[in-house]
Amino acid sequence: MRLLITAGPTREPIDPVRYISNRSSGKMGYAIAEAALAEAHEIILISGPVNLEPPGNAKVISVSTSDEMFEAVHRYADECDICVLCAAVADYKAANVSSTKIKKRGAKFSLGLIPTRDILDSLGHQQDRQFVLVGFAAETDHVEENAAKKLRAKNCDIIVANDVSGADSGMESDVNEVIIFFRNGEKKEISRAPKKNIARELVKIFLDFATKTFDKKNVMIN
Ligand code: CTP
């Protein structure tokens, strides 16, 4: 199968020397790409700025801003069987990007922000979507409730929820633990393990779900 995977943070420029970003390392997305490549699947990895070696044999598209990630995802999504949106896309960007370095001012300074486009939501509501859509939910509280809400609101097939409240799992860490929510209300847990092991389990789950979904569609057509 062909998988599109997004990974890492985005950077939203403020001026030529500053940007808004987050602590995402890209490790989870890259581990999913590696795990799928090991099973001989085809990978398009759309990556924000990270300090990781690109996985061999993947088609890697490097982006920086949420807008660049949005465009790249929409360019390739329809050619893929599964889209896994693992990236920590910034929710806001500067309303106006200054072309010159912003100078220090008085004691208070406020920056005007506007929302970025939600890539997962845009794919979830795409008419005639043929690919399986997987989102991630990074939560610090009410993990299950918030993740289940995201699954419905963004209309995806699967949401992988992880608790990013502690320093010892989730963002930047090499380990993680996740709860996977399916559209039909089913739920699976993968307990604390290195991200590489979690990635292998996740890839199995995504492929199994996609195979069943495509088989069902074929039966309906025939
Ligand atoms: N996402 C996206 N585009 C955005 C923001 C998020 O595609 N502009 C995707 C992420 O890649 C992830 C999912 O939406 O698959 C959930 O991201 P998360 O940061 O957990 O939640 P948000 O939707 O940003 O909501 P909140 O920050 O309020 O929790």
Side-chain angles (χ1 to χ4, degrees):
M1 290 208 203
R2 187 185 286 156
L3 284 80
L4 179 153
I5 299 167
T6 69
T10 62
R11 281 184 187 165
E12 310 304 324
I14 296 169
D15 71 11
V17 297
R18 304 183 178 96
Y19 56 77
I20 301 167
S21 193
N22 59 65
R23 290 172 44 199
S24 169
S25 63
K27 285 176 190 166
M28 197 65 239
Y30 275 56
I32 293 171
E34 297 273 11
L37 283 164
E39 300 288 323
H41 297 285
E42 214 182 305
I43 301 298
I44 299 174
L45 177 61
I46 300 174
S47 177
V50 295
N51 286 315
L52 298 171
E53 269 307 305
N57 293 332
K59 179 182 172 83
V60 181
I61 296 156
S62 297
V63 297
S64 181
T65 66
S66 57
D67 282 327
E68 287 167 8
M69 189 172 278
F70 184 99
E71 300 301 337
V73 168
H74 279 272
R75 172 144 16 105
Y76 292 102
D78 285 328
E79 296 171 19
C80 296
D81 302 298
I82 309 176
C83 292
V84 182
L85 300 201
C86 201
V89 184
D91 289 332
Y92 290 91
K93 61 180 183 178
N96 295 299
V97 180
S98 174
S99 59
T100 53
K101 188 183 168 207
I102 299 170
K103 291 311 227 182
K104 214 173 354 210
R105 297 182 196 161
K108 272 197 180 170
F109 174 76
S110 27
L111 186 65
L113 298 177
I114 53 170
T116 57
R117 289 178 287 180
D118 193 308
I119 306 168
L120 183 61
D121 189 89
S122 67
L123 291 185
H125 291 96
Q126 185 177 303
Q127 295 243 313
D128 260 353
R129 166 166 72 82
Q130 300 298 318
F131 50 84
V132 164
L133 183 59
V134 181
F136 271 67
E139 307 292 345
T140 56
D141 56 278
H142 301 95
V143 177
E144 297 208 17
E145 189 185 322
N146 286 336
K149 247 187 233 166
K150 277 179 194 165
L151 175 90
R152 283 194 302 276
K154 304 198 190 200
N155 197 33
C156 30
D157 300 301
I158 298 174
I159 278 268
V160 181
N162 61 148
D163 188 335
V164 290
S165 61
D168 57 345
S169 77
M171 279 196 172
E172 291 179 313
S173 168
D174 287 325
V175 296
N176 209 356
E177 54 184 301
V178 300
I179 309 175
I180 303 133
F181 295 86
F182 297 84
R183 198 187 252 291
N184 65 3
E186 241 183 83
K187 172 176 116 172
K188 274 189 188 149
E189 288 187 36
I190 308 179
S191 51
R192 200 177 154 76
K195 281 185 177 169
K196 290 192 168 152
N197 300 14
I198 302 237
R200 276 199 294 272
E201 289 301 310
L202 286 176
V203 165
K204 264 189 228 155
I205 291 169
F206 301 159
L207 290 169
D208 186 50
F209 182 93
T211 306
K212 283 183 187 148
T213 305
F214 299 143
D215 281 352
K216 235 182 253 166
K217 275 187 192 157
N218 285 339
V219 168
M220 280 162 69
I221 291 165
N222 297 331

